[in-house]
Amino acid sequence: MTVIFSKKCEYGLQAVLYLAAQSEREVIPAEEISNKLSIPKEFVSKILQSLTESGIVISRKGKSGGFALAKDPKRIQLIDIVAAIDGLSMFSSCVLGFPHCNPENPCPLHDKWGELRSKAYAMLTDENIDHFRNKTLRKISSL
Amino acid sequence: MTVIFSKKCEYGLQAVLYLAAQSEREVIPAEEISNKLSIPKEFVSKILQSLTESGIVISRKGKSGGFALAKDPKRIQLIDIVAAIDGLSMFSSCVLGFPHCNPENPCPLHDKWGELRSKAYAMLTDENIDHFRNKTLRKISSL
DNA sequence: GATAAATCAGACTAAATTATCCGATATATG
DNA sequence: CATATATCGGATAATTTAGTCTGATTTATC
């Protein structure tokens, strides 16, 4: 298998994008997110709990409770979710798994991969999640 | 955690690059690869066995046996090892884990990721492993 | 032929990831 | 206050990935 983000992180990104696409509404119950995105309810719930601790989402307990973004979607970037769930180690570790891969002791792919990695980082930082709102809505409606 | 290649695949890539860097020698015992690359012997041995079935390396049993490339290193590309171990699904599946991500139903990152993915693919296909020989030797000698 | 050094094959174990379950607690609403 | 509907928190289960062990077989060399 080859992965970019862990399942947990993929689900977290999807769920946060989902929340960002609902900006007019109050909190959204985990069950709705689970249904719309086909993520096991308990699992997405747990992931959002952890994002609550990271300050990215907030939760309201009890009847008509649920999850919502903790701040203006213009101030949240995809990298925030990745950092909270998977961490940022992929942006510093060697793509071939060699130890101490750096400009002094580069692996054969060091330079090429370094470029790609920077672009991947940019992809996750250049835009805030509000920017993805319409695209997310369109994607969700196709599911 | 965030991964590009599985550990198995990282080890496989390292081991094949190692073999390619030893082109003048006959077969290399798994133990040497294990020692030089700090990969558990039985594990790298298993990985090379599977690459034998894929036709990328050959093995010789018995005393002074070991592994070697099955063909001219100019005819082996990194993608061959990736395809044999991790498969190529990462080059077609959605980076956010959405189902049926395609130009008609793109996820919010579809285009950007598509570009990066192509470049990652190119990184693994544009050069044969003989091209990495010197870089590999330099890296190995620093371990 | 005996011995040593290697792969081969398959079962097994360990660890990490993914997913589920359940009881407790909080809260909106009648 | 009772009820229904949520999250919260912790334990547990299932699955995948990573790694280990052992015994058999092969082969070079003395």
Side-chain angles (χ1 to χ4, degrees), chain B residues 124-142:
Chain B
L124 301 172
T125 40
D126 283 356
E127 308 287 0
N128 57 63
I129 62 173
D130 184 61
H131 173 264
F132 296 118
R133 191 154 181 269
N134 288 329
K135 287 184 176 174
T136 302
L137 283 170
R138 218 170 303 132
K139 180 66 191 173
I140 289 168
S141 73
S142 84

Side-chain angles (χ1 to χ4, degrees), chain A residues 96 98, chain B residues 7-22 28 30 33-34 37 39 43-45 47-49 51 56-57 67-69 78 81 85 129 136 140:
Chain A
L96 295 178
F98 281 110
Chain B
K7 269 256 155 285
K8 218 180 251 181
C9 192
E10 285 180 2
Y11 289 159
L13 288 164
Q14 289 184 21
V16 169
L17 285 170
Y18 186 89
L19 292 178
Q22 316 291 322
I28 313 287
I33 302 174
S34 164
L37 300 177
I39 305 173
F43 201 28
V44 76
S45 184
I47 294 165
L48 287 169
Q49 275 169 42
L51 290 177
I56 295 168
V57 308
F67 296 92
L69 297 182
L78 294 176
I81 294 102
I85 300 177
I129 62 173
T136 302
I140 289 168

Side-chain angles (χ1 to χ4, degrees), chain A residues 80-97:
Chain A
D80 299 330
I81 293 103
V82 174
I85 299 178
D86 277 347
L88 299 179
S89 63
M90 80 152 291
F91 295 104
S92 58
S93 63
C94 175
V95 68
L96 295 178

Side-chain angles (χ1 to χ4, degrees), chain B:
Chain B
M1 210 227 335
T2 310
V3 160
I4 302 302
F5 302 126
S6 67
K7 269 256 155 285
K8 218 180 251 181
C9 192
E10 285 180 2
Y11 289 159
L13 288 164
Q14 289 184 21
V16 169
L17 285 170
Y18 186 89
L19 292 178
Q22 316 291 322
S23 54
E24 67 288 348
R25 299 170 61 195
E26 303 256 303
V27 298
I28 313 287
E31 182 147 35
E32 174 181 331
I33 302 174
S34 164
N35 289 334
K36 293 287 174 57
L37 300 177
S38 307
I39 305 173
K41 180 185 154 205
E42 325 284 344
F43 201 28
V44 76
S45 184
K46 270 233 146 41
I47 294 165
L48 287 169
Q49 275 169 42
S50 82
L51 290 177
T52 299
E53 289 168 23
S54 310
I56 295 168
V57 308
I58 49 133
S59 69
R60 202 166 68 198
K61 295 172 89 173
K63 187 163 182 178
S64 76
F67 296 92
L69 297 182
K71 45 190 175 184
D72 184 351
K74 288 197 167 62
R75 292 180 47 232
I76 301 175
Q77 294 154 315
L78 294 176
I79 197 75
D80 299 331
I81 294 102
V82 174
I85 300 177
D86 276 348
L88 299 178
S89 63
M90 81 152 291
F91 295 104
S92 58
S93 63
C94 175
V95 68
L96 294 177
F98 281 109
H100 351 286
C101 191
N102 56 48
E104 283 74 47
N105 294 297
C107 80
L109 293 181
H110 190 76
D111 295 343
K112 287 240 172 184
W113 176 244
E115 270 179 58
L116 287 182
R117 192 168 53 185
S118 302
K119 286 183 180 154
Y121 192 81
M123 175 178 84
L124 301 172
T125 40
D126 283 356
E127 308 287 0
N128 57 63
I129 62 173
D130 184 61
H131 173 264
F132 296 118
R133 191 154 181 269
N134 288 329
K135 287 184 176 174
T136 302
L137 283 170
R138 218 170 303 132
K139 180 66 191 173
I140 289 168
S141 73
S142 84
L143 294 178

Side-chain angles (χ1 to χ4, degrees), chain A residues 4 12 19 21 27 33-34 50 54-55 65-66 75 82 84-86 89-90 99 102 104 125 128-129 132 139 141:
Chain A
I4 302 302
L19 293 177
V27 298
I33 302 174
S34 163
S50 84
S54 309
R75 291 180 47 231
V82 174
I85 299 178
D86 277 347
S89 63
M90 80 152 291
N102 56 46
E104 283 74 45
T125 40
N128 57 62
I129 61 173
F132 295 117
K139 180 66 190 173
S141 72

Side-chain angles (χ1 to χ4, degrees), chain A:
Chain A
M1 211 225 338
T2 311
V3 161
I4 302 302
F5 302 126
S6 67
K7 265 239 153 306
K8 219 180 251 180
C9 191
E10 286 181 0
Y11 289 160
L13 288 163
Q14 290 185 20
V16 169
L17 285 170
Y18 186 89
L19 293 177
Q22 317 291 322
S23 55
E24 67 288 351
R25 299 170 62 194
E26 304 255 299
V27 298
I28 313 286
E31 183 148 34
E32 174 180 333
I33 302 174
S34 163
N35 289 333
K36 293 287 175 58
L37 301 178
S38 308
I39 306 173
K41 183 185 150 203
E42 326 283 346
F43 201 29
V44 75
S45 182
K46 272 233 145 44
I47 293 166
L48 288 168
Q49 276 169 43
S50 84
L51 290 177
T52 300
E53 288 167 25
S54 309
I56 294 168
V57 307
I58 50 133
S59 69
R60 202 165 69 197
K61 294 172 90 172
K63 189 166 181 176
S64 76
F67 295 93
L69 297 182
K71 46 189 175 184
D72 183 351
K74 288 197 167 59
R75 291 180 47 231
I76 302 176
Q77 295 154 317
L78 294 176
I79 196 77
D80 299 330
I81 293 103
V82 174
I85 299 178
D86 277 347
L88 299 179
S89 63
M90 80 152 291
F91 295 104
S92 58
S93 63
C94 175
V95 68
L96 295 178
F98 281 110
H100 351 287
C101 189
N102 56 46
E104 283 74 45
N105 294 298
C107 80
L109 294 180
H110 190 75
D111 295 341
K112 287 241 170 185
W113 175 244
E115 269 180 58
L116 286 183
R117 192 168 54 186
S118 301
K119 287 184 178 153
Y121 192 81
M123 176 179 82
L124 301 172
T125 40
D126 284 355
E127 308 287 358
N128 57 62
I129 61 173
D130 184 60
H131 174 264
F132 295 117
R133 193 155 178 269
N134 288 329
K135 288 185 176 177
T136 303
L137 284 169
R138 218 170 301 134
K139 180 66 190 173
I140 288 168
S141 72
S142 84
L143 293 177

